[in-house]
Amino acid sequence: MVLAFIEHLNGAPTTLSLEVLTMAGRLSGEMAVPLEAVAIGPKGAAAAGIVTSYGVSRLHVGDDPRLADYAPAGWARAVAELTERVNPEVVIGTASDRGSEVMAHVAARMKLPLAANCTEIAPGDPFTVTRQRWGGSLLEEAHLKGRVKLLTLAPHALAAEASPSRTEVATHPFTPALDDKDFRVRLVPQVEADTGKISLAQARVVIGGGRGVGSAEGFASLEELAGLLGGAVGCSRAVTSLGWRPHSDQVGQTGMRIAPDLYIACGISGAIQHMVGCRAAKHILAINTDAAAPIVEQADYAVIGDVQKVLSSVNAQIRKLREVPVG
Amino acid sequence: MNVLVCVKRVPATAGHIALSADSQEIDTRYLGFTVSPHEECAVEEAVRLIEKHGGSSTVLTLGPEVAIDQLRDAMALGIERAILLETDGREWDPVATAAAIVEAIEAERAAGRSYDLVMFGNESADSAGYQIGVRVADALDLPCVTGIKALEIGDGEAMVRRQTEAGWETAELSLPAVLTVKEGINLPRYPSLPGRLRAKKKEIERIKPQWQDGGLEKIRLKLPVQVEHSVEILGKNGDAGAQVVELFQRLRLL
Ligand SMILES: Cc1cc2nc3c(=O)[nH]c(=O)nc-3n(C[C@H](O)[C@H](O)[C@H](O)COP(=O)(O)OP(=O)(O)OC[C@H]3O[C@@H](n4cnc5c(N)ncnc54)[C@H](O)[C@@H]3O)c2cc1C
Ligand SMILES: Nc1ncnc2c1ncn2[C@@H]1O[C@H](COP(=O)(O)O)[C@@H](O)[C@H]1O
């Protein structure tokens, strides 16, 4: 059996969990074994309505009320106990922050290896996976051992694909043995007040600034363009290290991953660790003084020139377009 | 309080990655070495904790002899002691790495040195297994939070925050504990010249752990397939303004 560990919001599986179900479904087909899923928290049972379209035959629900709020070690204990009991060949979770954390705890508890951020899985002996390194700018082919193969699936390694036919899903609630020690860490959510600002993650256009912007004040022209286009401003790590912008603006391997329609990289050289954060953009426009900068060959459009000169001309022309004709 | 920080030596890659002829590693002939930005922040956080609360800080790495450079970098920022778990340069998988770190921490404890906090990066820069901190916590039976972006130490406890898509999550946990850190928790300082000189003179404690098969075996590295595409040059400097605006219109952004 293949067991998919799914995350859900009040019973609605997350997008990444649908990707996991899709991959787990393919895997169970290849291995000719059934597909089952596990959701933690009493509300997990509501996921049945959706997992039915992904070929799941059984939905296990860890429904102890103490599991309603996120407690990494408690959730992992539930998944590990279920795994010991139902004995799947493979357990696969998402590589979200939570999925990675829970699966690491499961692996530690069960004293088994774990392959994180897989993009391809070839079952058999040896059991071979392809996994991401360096945020996805490099791939590793590896053999995974262990009586149960534990994996997390890299985000967007494939597209979620529901099947038109539905399976009969049996819901199996279970109550794992839990003690106080499993709840030494509980994470309490704090939802932030909506500031009305367009977030980096949501923006259709992101204007990213690098060392070539020259100074913290130099970002004024990027802010102006963001205002004119209804976009958001991001930056490179060089910029956060210099203290010009907060880390929450950083795009890349140790910052945000974004996927706007257009990413405008201003004075950014295009280091691989930056590119893994913006390569999902539909289009990239580079503005750089150096025609040989790596960003230029990775971009769809480029302007060779000084950021400030280029942006002041662009901003001025947009402002002119917007001017209401008199009379 | 006593704090231990674990870091990993990795190549400082830039615009492109090239692989060695046998596809076993990155071609590092023209590269420098560093640690993950998450780990730089863990080091900075440890130094700040000791400045504020007193006590001592130690940095540890499992790696080849040359990984001493990364230990000295951490000491240049204010970490007092360093431990090298020396390997022959082969890559150790997460199970084996965590086991060696646990063994070193237990040896320290036997020698009368126990840690209130053991800190890691959220993930290593290169292999990114997202698990060594959790494995060490589990083996030592300590509470653990991953990916923290804020930390405050109170009386025998830690208050941490981490960022989510919807805002923040907070947790309180008692010490001793394991925490894994994300970049952004602080802005690391630059090493001072006296700091560098002091670090150069410091002794490095060495242990040679026994290699073990952890069950995740690297077979080869490969570069992702690059989709063929070409770049359209829209002009130079201010002359490009009109073409950029036209591009925005074509993409229906204006
Ligand atoms: C493990 C690891 C993780 C990392 N994670 C990240 C990450 O998440 N995000 C990230 O961004 N980086 C990350 N980095 C750092 C990354 O390797 C680069 O150092 C960084 O992206 C460089 O930033 P930059 O392009 O702004 O600066 P530089 O590389 O210095 O490039 C500046 C560019 O500006 C151009 N320029 C200069 N003046 C002008 C001008 N007047 N007008 C126009 N162009 C000009 C130059 O030609 C050059 O191309 C990471 C590194 C490591 C080792
Ligand atoms: N070889 C190593 N030596 C010391 N610490 C390590 C080593 N490898 C990983 N770590 C630590 O464990 C964290 C998580 O690594 P990983 O599980 O590989 O993503 C890293 O950020 C480091 O803090």
Side-chain angles (χ1 to χ4, degrees):
Chain A
M1 180 237 301
V2 173
L3 182 65
F5 164 54
I6 59 171
E7 289 161 73
H8 61 92
L9 204 70
N10 293 324
T14 61
T15 311
L16 296 186
S17 292
L18 297 180
E19 294 175 2
V20 162
L21 284 167
T22 306
M23 179 59 108
R26 283 186 201 167
L27 206 54
S28 76
E30 255 174 80
M31 297 169 73
V33 294
L35 170 63
E36 301 187 5
V38 53
I40 304 298
K43 291 191 175 144
I50 293 190
V51 301
T52 170
S53 304
Y54 288 82
V56 171
S57 57
R58 257 184 212 174
L59 174 65
H60 303 273
V61 183
D63 67 353
D64 187 302
R66 285 175 294 173
L67 295 173
D69 295 325
Y70 181 48
W75 282 32
R77 181 155 182 192
V79 174
E81 257 198 43
L82 176 74
T83 302
E84 293 292 7
R85 186 157 52 80
V86 301
N87 206 18
E89 273 92 354
V90 179
V91 182
I92 175 167
T94 72
S96 69
D97 286 343
R98 277 191 186 185
S100 303
E101 188 173 42
V102 172
M103 289 304 290
H105 276 281
V106 170
R109 257 197 111 82
M110 298 187 71
K111 306 202 184 333
L112 286 171
L114 162 71
N117 277 295
C118 296
T119 56
E120 286 169 51
I121 304 162
D125 190 15
F127 192 98
T128 308
V129 298
T130 302
R131 56 179 297 272
Q132 294 182 336
R133 288 184 168 234
W134 289 99
S137 45
L138 190 59
L139 298 171
E140 170 190 357
E141 212 176 283
H143 289 166
L144 176 61
K145 297 173 196 160
R147 59 197 158 90
V148 185
K149 308 295 185 286
L150 303 180
L151 320 148
T152 65
L153 180 69
H156 316 312
L158 44 55
E161 225 173 278
S163 127
S165 61
R166 286 156 176 264
T167 44
E168 194 72 37
V169 183
T171 303
H172 286 235
F174 70 102
T175 313
L178 295 165
D179 54 53
D180 290 349
K181 225 174 69 183
D182 300 315
F183 298 97
R184 286 186 294 189
V185 171
R186 283 173 184 278
L187 287 133
V188 182
Q190 280 186 333
V191 178
E192 251 173 19
D194 190 357
T195 54
K197 238 181 101 181
I198 298 165
S199 76
L200 257 187
Q202 307 292 327
R204 276 188 68 209
V205 191
V206 173
I207 299 112
R211 199 193 301 272
V213 171
S215 63
E217 296 70 41
F219 274 80
S221 53
L222 282 74
E223 291 284 2
E224 184 183 0
L225 181 58
L228 291 167
L229 295 176
V233 173
C235 70
S236 73
R237 177 160 184 256
V239 164
T240 48
S241 298
L242 287 160
W244 294 351
R245 306 284 298 184
H247 182 267
S248 49
D249 286 358
Q250 183 176 313
V251 170
Q253 186 176 331
T254 51
M256 291 277 295
R257 310 280 161 104
I258 55 170
D261 288 348
L262 178 65
Y263 181 58
I264 310 177
C266 306
I268 290 178
S269 61
I272 52 160
Q273 299 91 357
H274 186 77
M275 298 314 291
V276 297
C278 64
R279 70 174 163 199
K282 284 210 191 88
H283 305 275
I284 296 179
L285 163 64
I287 304 175
N288 202 300
T289 40
D290 179 7
I295 186 76
V296 174
E297 64 186 73
Q298 298 179 75
D300 304 290
Y301 309 96
V303 175
I304 308 306
D306 175 75
V307 186
Q308 301 301 347
K309 284 190 190 140
V310 176
L311 289 189
S312 75
S313 152
V314 169
N315 290 343
Q317 298 206 30
I318 299 176
R319 277 196 310 267
K320 216 159 105 197
L321 271 178
R322 295 265 169 90
E323 262 170 30
V324 188
V326 188
Chain B
M1 67 185 306
N2 294 330
V3 183
L4 176 70
V5 193
C6 298
V7 300
K8 181 179 191 186
R9 173 184 171 92
V10 296
T13 53
H16 299 274
I17 291 186
L19 296 181
S20 63
D22 63 0
S23 294
Q24 287 300 307
E25 49 198 299
I26 292 179
D27 179 354
T28 54
R29 274 177 299 173
Y30 310 107
L31 298 179
F33 286 83
T34 182
V35 302
S36 153
H38 297 319
E39 291 154 31
E40 282 177 18
C41 287
V43 167
E44 173 68 30
E45 200 64 19
V47 172
R48 289 187 192 184
L49 285 175
I50 301 309
E51 283 169 352
K52 192 165 167 194
H53 301 280
S56 95
S57 56
T58 306
V59 61
L60 175 152
T61 194
L62 174 125
E65 158 91 41
V66 279
I68 282 179
D69 292 350
Q70 281 59 52
L71 296 176
R72 293 214 193 278
D73 286 348
M75 288 197 286
L77 294 181
I79 300 280
E80 289 155 36
R81 284 175 69 225
I83 304 172
L84 172 69
L85 305 184
E86 195 177 338
T87 69
D88 60 7
R90 259 186 303 181
E91 191 171 84
W92 289 38
D93 90 336
V95 166
T97 306
I101 294 174
V102 167
E103 211 175 293
I105 293 173
E106 280 172 345
E108 288 271 289
R109 185 156 47 189
R113 228 188 280 268
S114 55
Y115 294 103
D116 304 288
L117 261 188
V118 185
M119 300 178 86
F120 293 85
N122 185 64
E123 83 273 5
S124 53
D126 59 344
S127 69
Y130 289 82
Q131 55 190 273
I132 287 169
V134 174
R135 285 189 188 276
V136 170
D138 186 84
L140 297 174
D141 195 16
L142 297 178
C144 173
V145 184
T146 62
I148 64 161
K149 277 201 172 178
L151 167 64
E152 247 177 82
I153 298 292
D155 187 18
E157 59 172 9
M159 278 78 73
V160 301
R161 297 213 302 159
R162 67 181 192 188
Q163 213 158 10
T164 65
E165 270 167 33
W168 292 87
E169 280 176 339
T170 61
E172 285 178 17
L173 60 167
S174 59
L175 300 179
V178 171
L179 297 173
T180 86
V181 168
K182 274 196 184 170
E183 189 182 24
I185 190 172
N186 56 42
L187 192 56
R189 69 194 72 187
Y190 289 99
S192 63
L193 190 58
R196 284 217 170 274
L197 293 174
R198 229 179 4 252
K200 225 171 160 177
K201 287 198 220 113
K202 284 203 169 164
E203 199 194 326
I204 309 257
E205 294 163 45
R206 291 161 192 258
I207 302 175
K208 270 204 177 152
Q210 186 73 38
W211 191 85
Q212 56 166 283
D213 175 7
L216 182 64
E217 186 192 354
K218 175 175 77 182
I219 302 302
R220 68 178 65 82
L221 300 178
K222 47 189 187 184
L223 295 167
V225 190
Q226 294 290 338
V227 217
E228 277 291 318
H229 93 297
S230 55
V231 52
E232 184 185 332
I233 303 288
L234 297 179
K236 289 206 155 82
N237 281 322
D239 313 344
Q243 288 178 70
V244 171
V245 170
E246 204 184 294
L247 171 69
F248 292 164
Q249 286 168 330
R250 227 190 309 155
L251 298 178
R252 300 188 182 285
L253 298 168
L254 276 180

